[in-house]
Each structure stands twice: as C-alpha cells, then as structure tokens.
C-alpha cells in the first residue's frame, strides 16, 4: 500500500457554512476547524467519563464563554450552554432536561456586546490551538483513512443506505447529513459488529420530499461515491473530509451531526390522502345540506304572547330556584289572569314577574313545556297559541260548554337559562329534579277550587310537552326520587333523541340513557306497572333535522303500540311538511296539529284531566297518522235515510266501470241543482276486493258530495235485485282521510288555508270484506247550490292486479336500477309498488316518473299523478305531488333502525312501499325508473355515524403513538408524529383498514332477527290488561322485550356481535369502517399540521420578539419565562395543591385539564427552541423530547371534545350566578395523572427508553388495549376515551419516575418484602 497524502486543513477556509438542517427554520453554521476540534474534544470527554465515571459540570452563569449563535437573539442565547453540558454515563441522552439548557435572557446591551467580544477572542484562540494540534493528529487520521480504504464501498453504501452522506465540494462546504438515521456504527467509524443494535429506518425517514436541496445533495453524494470507488480501486485513501465521522459518545448509532427534524413529515402519500379525505368530507357535508332534503314550506305563526314568571316558586319549594325559573304563558286569546296588577312587574320583552305574595288562580288544564339543549322557555308560544285558537274559535260550542266539559290549557314553561343539557348529564338530573318540584307546585295552584265550575275535580296530573333533550328529561322524571306517582300520564316529545344521545362524550349522559331505557322497557308490564296509564308520542322532524337523527326518535323498541308510537311531521295530516330541529316548534302546520290533539285529549271531569288511555291513543292516531293504516275503524252512523229511486235522480254504475265526475259519457256534468245518486253495486262474485275513491271535495253533510252505504229494502240477501226501488242508507264520512292536492301549479304538498286556495283531496280506501253489511255504495251529489262539483273518481279494483312486488336488492339497484315501462298493466286509480328488500336507511334513491299523452284535449287529467312513500319501522309517510313534471326525479329516502338495537317493524310492513295515484280515465300507464342516489346517500352516512370520526381519529393517534414507542424502545430516535404517519400510511394503516373491513363483514353475516308488532286491533283488545293482570302478548315483540330485560340484567349487556364497531349492518356496507378510518387519517394529518404550525409559529414569534425587543420589558419577560426554571419545587407543590383544592371544591376537573393543555403547549414551544439551538451531543435527545411532547399534544388535543362541553356548562352557570358545584365533575383521580404529567414535563422530564421486555410489553399492551376497545365499543361509549387516556398517562409517569432514587428504593423495598414472604426464587438458589 502506497502512502496517500492527506489534504491539509490549512486549505479549508475559516468561514461559516450554512447547512439546511431543517426545511422550515433550522440553518446552522459551522467552522471546519471547530468541527475537528469538537470531535476530538468529545472523544476525550467520553474516554474520561468511562475511566473516572464523573460528571463535568458547567457554569450557566458565563454565557460569554461560548461563541454566539449565528442567528443571534433567543436561539443564540440558548445555543452554547446546551452544547457543552455533560451528562452522567448512567443517564440516558434521551433524559435530557431543558431546564438547564437556557442562559439568562433579556440582558443589557452592554453585557451582550461584552459577550460578543469575549466569544470572538475565544474563537481565535481555539482556532490557533486547533492548528497547532492538527499536525499531532495527522498520523491518527492517516491510520483511520487506511482502515476505511480497505472497505470503501461497504462504508459508503452503509452510510448511503442509512441516510447519511458526507458532501464535499471544492472544500467550500462542510459535511452535510441528510434526514436519516444511521444504523449501528462504532465510534471509531468501523463497520458495525454482529452484536451491535441496528436502528430500523425507512428510506424516507427524516426526509422532506419537497426539499430540493436534498436532491442536490443526493446527486453530489452519488458523484462522490463514484469518485471514491475509483480511488479505492487505485489503492488510494479517501479524503479526510469524506472519511471522518463523529458519533455520539453514548449512542454509537447516532452521529453527532444527526440533528434533523422533519417538522411536518410531509410526503406525497400524506398530502394525497389529506386532499382525498377532505374532498370526501366536503361532498358529505354538501350532500347532507343540499341533497335529499325535504322541502321547506313551513308557515310562520304570529301571536302576542305574555310570560308571567312565578316568583312564588322559590327556594322553599325547590333547591334550584336560583338557577331555573317557572313561567305561565298567555296570549291574546286568553289574557285572563286573576292577579292584582300592582303585584305584576314588567321586565320587558313580553315578560312580567308575579310577586310571591300574589295568589294565582289558573282555570284550565295544566300542561308543562320543557325546552331542550340551549332552548328557551318562549318556544312554547306557537303550540300554546294554536291550542288556544282551536279552543276559542274552532271548537264547537256544544263541546266547549256542554258535558263532558272541555277546558282551555294552562301552558306552564320552564326557563333553564339555555343550558347545554345535551352535553352534561348532571344538568339533566338537576332539570328532572326541578321539574318534579315544579309539577308539585303547579298542582297546588288548583287546590282552592275552580271559580268557573267548583264541581270540577282538582287536577292530579300534568301534560308534558318536551323538545329535544326536554323529552329525555320528561322520561327521566319517573326515575327520580322526588317523583309523585300519577302526576304525569301524557307526554308528547318533538325532535327528541330517545334511543341514543346526540353526542356520547359524557359518561353520566350514557348512564342516564341506560337507566331510562331499563325503566321504560320494564315499566309497561305487570299488575303494578308504573307506566300502565302513560302514553308517549314521539314526533320527529325528518332529514331536515341535522342535529337529531330521525332514527334515534324511534320509541318502538321500548314502548308498545298500545301506549305510543313515533311519527314524522311529513306524515301528520294537513301538515305534510318536513322540519328542522327548531322549526318543529314554530311551524304553523305542525303547531296546529299538536294543539288540536292536546285539546282533544282533555277531559276536565276526571282528576287525571285527560281521557283514558285507549281513547287518548285513538285521538292521537287520528290526529297524527295518515288514516291509511288498518287500525282506523270508524263507527258508522246509526241514523238511516230512505231514498225512493223513482222520485230521485240516480245513475247505476256497472260493476266493470268506474265513476268519474264530471264525465261526458254519463251525462253528469255537475251543473244541475237537483240531488243525484250514483249507485255502485259491490262486486261480491268478482276478484275486485278494494273500493277506492278520490275527490277534491270535503265529504260530509254540509258538503256537496257524500258517501253512503245502502241496502235494498226489498230483499235481505247479499245479491241485490237489478232495479231496487228503495234504499236504506247510512253515512260513512269518517272513512275519508285527507291527502295533499296534486295540481300542475304545485310542486310540494301544501295544506289548504289562507295562503293556499287549492283544496285538499279526500281519499277513501275500503276492503270489500269490511262492507259485508251493505249491498251498494252510493255517492250522493246534493247539487250545484253547494258549490262546484270539482272531480271525483271511484272504482272497484283488484289489489293483486294493482300491486307489483319487486324482489330486488340494494346491490342490484346500485348496479342496474329498477325500471317498469308499463305500470300498472291496467289503468287504476291507486297502484302500489313494494320493495321488501329495500330496508336500509343509509341509501337514498331517485324516482323518475313519466306519462306521455295524458295532457291533451282528448284525455285531460283531473289531477296530476302523485306518490306516497311508506317506511317499515316508523310512521313515516311522505307525499310527492305532480311527480311527472319533476325532471330531476322524486327524492326517496326514509329512516330505519338504530345501530346496536333490534329491528322493530310495523305490522304488515316490510321494506318500503310506493303508492301511486293517477287518473285512470287516461289509458296511458306510468314509466318508472328507480335508481340509487349515490351522492345523496353520503349525507345520510354522516348524520348517523357522526361520532365515528372522533373515535377513529383518536384510534389513528394511538396507532401512531404505538409505532413511535416501538421504534424508540428498539434504540431508534423518537420519530416525529408526521413522519411516523407517513410511514404508517403505506403499511400499517392499510392493513388495519383490511382488518376493520373483515370485522364489519363477519359482523354482517349472521341473520338478524326482525320483530314485529301485533295487529293494531288485537293491541287495542289486549291493552285492557293495564287495568288488571299482567299482559300476555303472543307475538315476537314480547319476546324481544323479555330478551332485552334479561340482557340489561346481565353482567355484560354489550358483549354481542351486533353491538361492536359500527353496529350490525348489511353486508353491502362492509366498506364503511375502513372508509371512515381513512377519512380519520386525513383529519389527523390536518390536526397535526395545525398543531405543529401553532407551536412553531409561537416559537418563531417568541424568538423574533426576544431578538428585536431584548432591551424592552417584553423581551426580558419572554426571555425569563423561557430560560429559567418555571417554578421552584416548593412553588410547584403549592400551585398543584391549590389547583387540586379548586377542583375538589369549585371548578370542574375539565377546567384543570384545559389548563394542563395550555401549559403543555408552553412545554412544546420551549422544547422546540432548545432543539433548534442545540448543536452538541445532546442534539438528538433534544429533538426526541420535542417529538415526544408534540405527540402527547396531539392526543391531548383530541381529548378536548370530552372536556370542553362540561366547561361550557360551567361557564354558563357562572354567567347566571349559579355557583353550586357539580358533584360528578370534581373527581381528583380523573385529573391528577394529567396534572402530574404536565408538571413533570415542565420540569424537563422525558420518557426513557425501555428496551427491557417487561416495560416495553406493558407500553405496547396498554396501547393495544385502547385500540381494541376503540374498535369494539369506542363508537357507542366514546366517553371512555378520556379515561383510557388517563391510564396511559399514569404509565408514562411511571416510566419517567422509574429511574429516580425514590422509585429504586420503592422497588427494592417491594423486592425485599417479596423475598421475605415468598422466599428466593429457584434461579437465585
């Protein structure tokens, strides 16, 4: 081997070379001579530590003894001390504290100039010393070069594969490391031995793909690698600048110049997934708000309200008088309030206060309105106005003044100060306790007798109207200790989430729901059932309500049909309108229907003040349901009228014909004033088993048209004579039900009223078997004197011929759709299309209907074709009018089952049913095209699975933390959160998505049991059990109820396959879970970018302020905050004790958590400034600590949704001067781990590496347990996220304290006690 000349260090200029250590902010300057001097100095220190095992202390009071940082300002003052501080050989470099890494900031300008001069002199001295010692070490470098020259390719390839390359170009730039960690290399630069621990790293580790300088350095490295190989082949030694390397004295795996941080960890897969995720989320929100939404045609209601606050309901009657209030409503129809005007005080905004000394004497029936989350007591005004108007203006005088007496309703309303009851379970309990006290007080107002009629009994119960969470409060009244049995028997709720809470972030709300569900499931059965006389009606708004999902308004899982049902506003007769969460209270169409129903159920002659349960439920069905259901059995009038055909104009309609008025064929044009009878014989011998009639007239004795059931008086047999002479007829007006008018001028259903001159249609549908007591159906036309004829179509049809059942599936509709070119085959007034397999409410559809040739003069249509869609699980019937003119198609959507609950379907219902009305006199059939609306279905997914996003987002964070700790415990650095996300996107996350898809697929395989209610007629007959013995239902519904009761009483009620992940769903939707997971990754990417940008922005701002404003007070203050220890030990202990006392007495623990997060942000900023200013052997440890704190910051940020709602409630209570603490929100054990953790981090603690199998297994085991819980039960029990995180924080605290003297003494003490009681192990023996 020939001697090789080594370039002299004299040729290297003494200039600062700027190195791009970090894409955003890190630019460090190094002298080449300082580089060599530091390398030798660090090796000497490392050898001294290994020989003498002592600590080299550093005096923090001499910042001028180190050269200033090229950037100056704050980073310059933070630079030098951290570089020169040595650590104990037993101390891991990752345990570095940033408390001793700061010098005094904000000093005087004179002191700074002096420091600069001293630093300059020391730099010159160091350079001279380095030059004099370079010749002494030249021989040592020659030996190292010769050792490297033996294996040049291996060395270079090893460095290249591990992400480090030494760049040397014309001796103008010093070595430039890339953003990758090297594998295990010994400190002398030799190849790693077999026993050395390697650090796994991906090629993209610590690299920024958008840094063009990296590409330049990579090309320079390849060029150098080629030249180095050619020199090695010629037995030449590589240049010293390429062969020298500096490695950490304690970590041979990490070079000293490996101070790299991928601040955001951006990569093409990350940005692609981020953009795709938010593109999908944007489409979901757009679909939810603008597609498959019911028409907004609510009419406003106007009134002149007055609200009287009853000050007599004070602290003597309730403990919450200072927080809540009780009002009495009055409007222009009933201002009668028997109170001395001198005792009333006008508070403005229609509010008067009634002095506690005033004696209030209500005269009507008590009713109480309960507002919902952030609701107002004044929201009762629309329903109260409609009820008063119906009583005083519309109700007939014989019903108002006769017996049994009907009375107006006294509407009381409670003021919860717009409390956020949906976010805090303890507030719900306080409201329920207050309401029971309010009900008892209201009933006392009626004890002195009625001035209008002293014979009326005193009320013993109050009707309840609850909106949103107010309905949950109404149901929870029965579970409270201060509830008086029998004080509530009629509950009507609007937009109430009965099944699941809107957000499951508070554990007490989940407990309240479980307790209510258990009570109401058991409460209807048994001889002493507490709910045997209670009726519950749930009114849902539909898909316009984006706050409360209509699926959760279903009460059929725990309320039998004999006691209640769920109905949508689009189904209510005369309303036929969808509503959002608030308009359901002020919409005039809905308020009128609710007000009439409340007045109709009133019965002032009995103490309960309402009719018995059976009569009550009949009224509610007539008022709120369409009337097309089989449970309506109207009573036929007993009065008969005799018609002699010889003296009355009449027309016989053949059995094969239909009656169509006006018609040119039968000569009846409706212009005659004389009465006319249209007689239709029942077709007993034919297969036509359905009688249908549609007209735009209101049938009845005061209308022009009416329906009668008649018999031939000359015979008693069913087959009538050909020409009857006399007919005995009875009126059948109650069988006609209203439906919206379908005319070319209207595109949405609108009720007849002041703003709509178009009359509603009347529809009659009868089974021929139900008319076995009659021989003829007679249409009675009283003549033109009672108005224009309008139109009427009546016919007998075969249900089999007019019904088509399509056994298509959701997948078949998604692929090909469903088309019918001639529907129905024969012209019919009413035709039905049944889709029994379409029962999943996550999909929406478009129906395009066409009918050409029926608008000409030859066959004019009497009305436009219309449609009614019916659902299978709740009373949700939607009407669509003038469907042929809707070119974009008719929206078909419905609500269905709730995840994690059994399927309950209405009697005779399966899937969806589409019923068409069309003029049968036009022979042209309909052409139907039924397609899946893919884009419109996106919004349905969001409203149902809103909590999945939060849970899966936290799941992504836990998976990232697990990967970070695995790499860290295996000897590698603590990778940045964004960089680890980039690595997991291409590996673990896709595997995890496949796992979620497999779980969802397996979950959908078992056949789901569908329970059905009994026939409504049988329910009415069996409902009498509530007065006596236990009910015995012989249908699947009782089986479900018993199974739910048994499951609720078991130890593990949620351990069912249908209760995990997203709940049981169709196999078709197996992809939902992995799609949600991928969307959550995009959300985590956004959160990481925002949080990282926040920390770096604050750090940059502080550095700028410190640099620019050092001579001002603000610069000094910031410098002192960031440079000195935050607090002394005694001060920290006092602060922690004070915070714990506040949490235990006054503030909720959620407030302490928010404070802890803010303090943690300061720790993240401080750790970033330290890492940016560090250039020594502690560089990698400083970045590890910063990355660790940032990952914990991301986790803390996702815990804020679990704490901020309660904090909002607490602040709201302070605003109303309510200072009573929440008993459930002052748990020190809930917040103590987070406080101790933040205190330890503020003091400079860092989680140590735990290569031991035991510690590493526990770390990964805790994270795996959290991951498993989030998959199985995270969506249903989202509030557990906070408590699982508490366990994780406790373990991190234990790891941080395990190497302290106290922990070691405790460990030894435990071991000694174990040896004392159990003896030494066999291994020790």
């Amino acid at each position: 081997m020939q001697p090789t000349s080594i370039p002299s260090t004299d040729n290297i200029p003494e200039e600062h070379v700027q190195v791009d250590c970090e894409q955003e902010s890190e630019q460090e300057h190094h002298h080449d001579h300082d580089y060599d001097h530091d390398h030798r100095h660090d090796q000497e220190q490392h050898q001294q530590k290994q020989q003498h095992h002592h600590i080299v202390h550093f005096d923090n009071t001499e910042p001028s003894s180190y050269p200033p940082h090229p950037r100056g300002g704050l980073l310059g003052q933070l630079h030098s001390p951290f570089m020169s501080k040595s650590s104990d050989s037993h101390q891991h470099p990752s345990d570095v504290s940033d408390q001793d890494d700061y010098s005094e900031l904000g000093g005087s300008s004179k002191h700074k100039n002096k420091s600069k001069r001293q630093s300059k002199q020391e730099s010159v001295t160091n350079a001279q010393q380095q030059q004099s010692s370079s010749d002494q070490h030249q021989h040592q470098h020659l030996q190292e070069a010769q050792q490297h020259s033996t294996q040049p390719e291996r060395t270079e390839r090893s460095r290249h594969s591990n992400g480090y390359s030494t760049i040397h170009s014309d001796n103008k730039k010093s070595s430039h490391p890339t953003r990758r960690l090297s594998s295990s290399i010994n400190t002398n630069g030799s190849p790693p031995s077999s026993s050395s621990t390697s650090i796994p790293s991906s090629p993209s580790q610590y690299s920024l793909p958008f840094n063009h300088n990296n590409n330049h350095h990579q090309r320079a490295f390849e060029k150098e690698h080629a030249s180095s190989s050619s020199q090695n082949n010629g037995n030449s030694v590589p240049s010293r600048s390429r062969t020298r390397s500096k490695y950490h004295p304690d970590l041979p795996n990490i070079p000293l110049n490996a101070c790299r941080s991928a601040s955001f960890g951006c990569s093409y897969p990350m940005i692609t997934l981020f953009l795709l995720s938010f593109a999908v989320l944007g489409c979901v929100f757009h679909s939810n708000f603008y597609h498959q939404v019911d028409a907004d045609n609510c009419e406003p209601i106007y009134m002149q309200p007055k609200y009287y606050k009853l000050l007599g309901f004070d602290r003597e009657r309730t403990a919450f008088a200072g927080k809540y209030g009780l009002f009495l409503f009055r409007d222009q129809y009933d201002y009668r309030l028997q109170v001395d005007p001198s005792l009333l005080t006008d508070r403005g905004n229609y509010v008067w206060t009634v002095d506690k000394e005033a004696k209030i004497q209500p005269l009507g029936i008590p009713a109480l309105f309960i507002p919902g989350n952030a609701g107002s007591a004044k929201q009762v005004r629309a329903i109260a106005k409609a009820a008063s108007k119906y009583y005083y203006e519309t109700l007939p005088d014989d019903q108002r003044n006769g017996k049994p007496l009907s009375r107006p309703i006294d509407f009381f309303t409670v003021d919860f100060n717009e409390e956020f009851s949906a976010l805090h379970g303890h507030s719900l309990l306080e409201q329920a306790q207050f309401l029971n006290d309010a009900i008892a007080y209201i009933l006392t107002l009626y004890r002195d007798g009625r001035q209008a009629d002293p014979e009326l009994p005193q009320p013993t119960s109050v009707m309840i109207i609850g909106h949103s969470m107010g309905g949950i409060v109404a149901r929870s009244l029965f579970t409270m200790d201060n509830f008086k049995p029998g004080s509530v028997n009629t509950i009507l709720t609007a937009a109430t989430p009965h099944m699941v809470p809107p957000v499951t972030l508070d554990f007490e709300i989940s407990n309240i729901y479980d307790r209510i569900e258990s009570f109401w499931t058991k409460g209807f059965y048994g001889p002493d059932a507490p709910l045997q006389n209670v009726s519950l009606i749930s009114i849902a708004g539909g898909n316009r309500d984006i706050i409360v999902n209509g699926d959760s308004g279903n009460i059929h899982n725990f309320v039998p049909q004999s006691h209640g049902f769920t109905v949508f506003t689009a189904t209510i007769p005369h309303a036929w309108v969808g509503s959002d969460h608030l308009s359901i209270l002020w919409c005039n169409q809905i308020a009128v229907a609710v007000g009439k129903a409340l007045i109709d159920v009133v019965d002032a002659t009995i103490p309960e003040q309402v009719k018995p349960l059976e009569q009550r439920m009949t009224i509610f069905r007539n008022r709120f349901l369409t009337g097309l259901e089989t449970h309506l059995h109207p009573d036929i009038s007993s009065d008969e009228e005799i018609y002699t055909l010889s003296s009355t104009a009449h027309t016989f309609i053949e059995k094969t014909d239909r009656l169509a008025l006006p018609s040119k064929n039968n000569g009846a044009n409706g212009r005659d004033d004389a009465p006319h009878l249209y007689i239709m014989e029942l077709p007993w011998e034919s297969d036509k088993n359905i009688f249908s009639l549609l007209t735009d007239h209101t049938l009845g004795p005061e209308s022009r048209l009416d329906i009668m059931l008649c018999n031939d008086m000359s015979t008693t047999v069913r087959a009538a004579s050909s020409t009857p002479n006399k007919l005995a007829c009875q009126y059948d007006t109650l069988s006609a039900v209203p439906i919206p008018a379908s005319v070319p001028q209207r595109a949405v259903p609108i009720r007849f009223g002041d703003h709509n001159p178009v009359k509603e249609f009347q529809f009659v549908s009868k089974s021929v078997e139900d008319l076995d007591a009659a021989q003829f159906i007679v249409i009675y036309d009283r003549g033109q004197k009672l108005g224009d004829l309008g139109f009427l179509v009546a016919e007998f049809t075969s249900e089999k011929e007019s019904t088509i059942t399509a056994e298509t599936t959701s997948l078949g509709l998604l692929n090909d759709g469903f088309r019918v070119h001639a529907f129905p085959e024969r012209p019919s007034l009413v035709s039905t299309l049944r889709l029994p397999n379409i029962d999943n409410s996550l999909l929406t559809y478009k129906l395009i209907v066409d009918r050409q040739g029926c608008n000409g003069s030859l066959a004019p249509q009497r009305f436009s074709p219309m449609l009614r869609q019916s659902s299978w699980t709740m009373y949700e019937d939607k009407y669509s009018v003038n469907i042929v003119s809707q070119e974009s198609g008719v929206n078909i959507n419905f609500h269905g089952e709730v995840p994690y609950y059994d399927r309950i379907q209405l009697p005779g219902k399966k899937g969806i049913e589409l019923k068409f009305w069309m003029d049968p006199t036009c022979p042209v059939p309909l052409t139907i095209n039924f397609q899946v609306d893919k884009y419109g279905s996106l919004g349905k997914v969001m409203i149902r699975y809103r909590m999945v996003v939060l849970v899966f987002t936290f799941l992504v964070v836990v998976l990232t933390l697990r990967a970070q700790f695995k790499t860290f415990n295996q000897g590698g650095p603590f990778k940045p959160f964004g960089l680890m996300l980039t690595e997991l996107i291409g590996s673990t996350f896709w595997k995890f998505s496949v796992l979620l898809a497999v779980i969802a697929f397996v979950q959908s395989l078992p056949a789901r049991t569908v329970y059905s209610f009994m026939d409504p007629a049988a329910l009415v007959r069996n409902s009498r059990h509530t007065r006596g013995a236990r009910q015995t239902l012989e249908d699947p519904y009782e089986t479900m109820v018993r199974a739910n009761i048994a499951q609720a009483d078991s130890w593990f009620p949620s351990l069912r396959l249908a209760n995990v992940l997203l709940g049981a769903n169709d196999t078709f939707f197996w992809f939902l879970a992995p799609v949600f997971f991928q969307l959550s990754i995009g959300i985590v990417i956004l959160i990481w970018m925002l949080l990282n940008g926040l920390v770096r922005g604050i750090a940059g701002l502080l550095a700028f302020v410190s640099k620019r404003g050092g001579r001002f007070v603000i610069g000094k203050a910031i410098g002192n905050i960031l440079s000195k220890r935050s607090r002394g030990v005694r001060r920290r202990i006092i602060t922690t004790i004070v915070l714990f006392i506040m949490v235990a007495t006054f503030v909720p623990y959620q407030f302490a958590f928010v404070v802890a997060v803010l303090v943690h942000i300061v720790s993240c900023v401080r750790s970033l400034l330290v890492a940016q200013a560090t250039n020594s052997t502690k560089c990698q440890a400083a970045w590890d600590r910063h990355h660790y704190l940032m990952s914990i910051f991301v986790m803390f940020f996702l815990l804020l949704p679990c704490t901020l709602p309660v904090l909002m409630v607490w602040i709201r209570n302070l605003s109303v001067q309510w200072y009573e603490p929440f008993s459930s929100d002052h748990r020190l054990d809930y917040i103590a781990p987070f406080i101790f953790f933040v205190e330890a981090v503020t003091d400079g603690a860092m989680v140590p590496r735990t290569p031991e199998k035991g510690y590493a297994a526990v770390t990964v085991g805790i994270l795996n347990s959290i991951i498993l819980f989030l998959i199985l039960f995270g969506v249903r029990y989202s509030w557990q996220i906070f408590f699982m995180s508490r366990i994780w924080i406790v373990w991190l605290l234990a790891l941080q304290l395990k190497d302290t003297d106290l922990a070691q003494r405790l460990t030894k003490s435990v071991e000694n006690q174990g040896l004392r009681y159990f003896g030494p192990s066999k291994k020790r023996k």
Side-chain angles (χ1 to χ4, degrees), residues 918-933:
M918 67 194 81
D919 189 352
T921 58
C922 177
V924 179
L926 298 177
T927 300
I928 297 176
N929 187 3
F930 194 75
Q931 299 285 342
V932 176
D933 186 2

Side-chain angles (χ1 to χ4, degrees), residues 622 629-636 734 766 770 1015-1018 1020:
N622 290 336
E629 322 305 342
T630 57
H631 57 255
L632 289 178
H633 299 283
D635 297 330
I636 297 178
L734 293 179
K766 285 286 188 178
D770 295 336
D1015 181 77
V1020 173

Side-chain angles (χ1 to χ4, degrees), residues 1138-1154:
V1138 170
L1139 183 59
F1140 282 166
I1141 293 175
M1142 293 177 62
V1143 171
T1145 57
F1146 179 65
V1147 302
Y1149 71 85
Q1150 292 85 354
F1151 174 82
F1153 179 79
V1154 174

Side-chain angles (χ1 to χ4, degrees), residues 476-548:
S476 63
L477 296 176
F478 300 85
T479 64
M480 303 300 295
D481 296 334
N482 62 339
F483 175 73
K484 182 180 179 180
S487 59
V488 176
N489 52 30
T490 302
I491 302 176
L492 194 148
T493 66
T496 295
H498 287 285
M499 300 297 291
V500 292
V503 290
T504 55
L505 296 177
D506 184 68
F507 72 96
E508 198 161 3
I509 285 184
S510 298
N511 294 338
I512 291 173
Y513 266 80
D514 294 340
R515 183 168 63 253
I516 294 175
E517 180 182 354
S518 176
F519 180 86
W520 280 74
T521 302
K522 305 174 183 177
F524 294 101
Y525 304 97
D528 299 325
L531 302 176
Q532 61 181 354
N533 194 35
V534 175
S535 60
L536 174 62
I537 307 300
S538 174
I539 302 177
N543 56 24
R544 294 194 64 86
D545 190 349
I546 61 175
I547 299 178
V548 173

Side-chain angles (χ1 to χ4, degrees), residues 53-71:
H53 300 282
H54 71 278
I55 300 177
V56 180
H57 295 279
F58 167 71
D59 189 3
N60 284 331
T61 61
E62 299 180 1
S64 60
S65 60
Y66 300 94
H69 194 275
R71 298 177 60 179

Side-chain angles (χ1 to χ4, degrees), residues 873-892:
T873 181
M874 290 174 283
Y875 293 101
E876 183 182 15
D877 299 335
K878 298 181 181 180
Y879 289 91
S880 300
V881 299
N882 198 14
I883 57 178
V884 175
S885 63
Q886 300 185 24
E887 298 180 357
S888 60
V890 180
N891 293 330
I892 304 295

